[in-house]
Amino acid sequence: MADVEPFQPNVSSAQADYDTLRNVSPEQPCPYLPGRNARSELYLTDQLTGAAYERLLARGFRRSGRIVYRPRCRACKECRQIRVLAPEFELSRSMRRIMRQNSDVAVEVGKPEPSDEKFDLYQRYLEGQHDGSMSRSYDAFRDFLYDSPLSTFEFRYRLDGRLVGVSILDRCPKGLSSVYMYYDPDLPRRSLGTFSILWEIAECRRRDLRYYYLGYYVAGSRTMAYKARFRPAEILVDDNRWIALPP
């Protein structure tokens, strides 16, 4: 990341002009669709307002730490922003069951701060849920989740006082944008990832916010298929153009 230039809010590049883009990462195998390559356009930013970040979301950007990025793949546009329409969202029967199963989970909302307790949970989550591609170091954990250029919340999920999940979300004028969620891999029957999404959609409603930004949705990706369960939802198909998620 050392060669990434500072982000300029007025930077814009034509989608077709792939090979002249600044700050495009090298190609690597796509983590979502086999047989395809992926690359991203990325910028380093020191500070963003929630309104500026929401405009970037509508242009396909997300953030990781202080890096804002969007896919710039040569032959694929399947990574699309997805957002749930919180006021119209209704729980399915299986979602109601998950909420009942976790009625004993206490949720705390506060300022994002790294700690040994959270780092231990994060390491166990990576060991249980991911391959070895993500760094297990404390510095990477802190920079990835706890170094934010805008207003960010941390949702802590506790069971009998024990930390079982942590979710990081950015605050925008019209919604909450999910950054990452890590949870106890030894509690698979509780579906803590789904529970956190449901609780946070409800939090949008409590705060009178319309959108819950859920990251990228990739049609055809098994690991991304779960996002289509949260409806009604919209996907971004062009800059500032959202359409209803197809059935």
Side-chain angles (χ1 to χ4, degrees):
M1 297 298 184
D3 58 347
V4 176
E5 296 180 7
F7 175 72
Q8 300 294 331
N10 61 349
V11 167
S12 180
S13 301
Q15 177 71 20
D17 199 12
Y18 293 113
D19 293 320
T20 59
L21 291 169
R22 296 184 300 156
N23 300 327
V24 176
S25 66
E27 283 191 326
Q28 57 186 355
C30 176
Y32 305 119
L33 298 174
R36 303 193 191 187
N37 291 324
R39 63 180 187 174
S40 297
E41 178 187 2
L42 54 155
Y43 302 91
L44 178 66
T45 182
D46 290 326
Q47 187 173 1
L48 280 174
T49 64
Y53 186 53
E54 199 156 41
R55 290 194 295 272
L56 288 171
L57 291 172
R59 290 174 56 194
F61 283 95
R62 301 284 299 170
R63 79 163 184 89
S64 176
R66 293 186 177 271
I67 300 294
V68 291
Y69 66 94
R70 61 179 170 181
R72 284 298 198 183
C73 306
R74 295 178 189 270
C76 181
K77 298 181 183 179
E78 292 299 335
C79 288
R80 302 184 186 279
Q81 293 275 20
I82 183 171
R83 65 186 185 185
V84 180
L85 306 182
E88 291 94 66
F89 176 76
E90 294 184 3
L91 296 170
S92 67
R93 179 179 300 178
S94 63
M95 291 172 181
R96 288 194 294 270
R97 183 171 63 251
I98 290 170
M99 294 299 286
R100 289 194 300 269
Q101 288 173 339
N102 291 286
S103 60
D104 53 348
V105 174
V107 184
E108 305 167 349
V109 182
K111 180 181 178 181
E113 293 179 336
S115 70
D116 291 341
E117 178 187 38
K118 296 169 190 173
F119 183 53
D120 176 70
L121 179 63
Y122 178 73
Q123 287 184 307
R124 292 197 297 111
Y125 171 77
L126 291 185
E127 291 294 333
Q129 299 295 123
H130 284 267
D131 57 21
S133 61
M134 294 182 67
S135 174
R136 267 59 168 175
S137 75
Y138 187 87
D139 286 347
F141 161 74
R142 181 195 60 215
D143 293 345
F144 171 38
L145 295 176
Y146 293 98
D147 188 11
S148 172
L150 71 156
S151 177
T152 302
F153 297 95
E154 181 178 73
F155 295 74
R156 297 180 288 272
Y157 298 86
R158 294 189 180 274
L159 181 62
D160 297 326
R162 179 168 62 92
L163 187 68
V164 296
V166 178
S167 184
I168 309 294
L169 293 102
D170 293 327
R171 172 65 191 268
C172 299
K174 297 180 182 178
L176 296 178
S177 175
S178 177
V179 177
Y180 200 73
M181 199 270 176
Y182 57 98
Y183 55 84
D184 192 332
D186 296 329
L187 300 172
R189 293 188 177 183
R190 283 187 171 265
S191 301
L192 290 169
T194 298
F195 173 65
S196 74
I197 293 173
L198 297 175
W199 197 93
E200 290 155 15
I201 292 173
E203 180 70 4
C204 286
R205 297 170 74 153
R206 288 187 287 268
R207 294 173 179 261
D208 198 26
L209 298 172
R210 178 155 182 75
Y211 302 116
Y212 180 71
Y213 294 92
L214 196 48
Y216 292 119
Y217 173 70
V218 185
S221 170
R222 183 178 58 83
T223 58
M224 290 289 188
Y226 75 94
K227 296 184 181 183
R229 296 169 54 207
F230 303 93
R231 295 174 181 264
E234 297 176 334
I235 56 171
L236 184 70
V237 293
D238 291 302
D239 283 4
N240 298 301
R241 188 163 79 89
W242 300 83
I243 65 170
L245 178 65

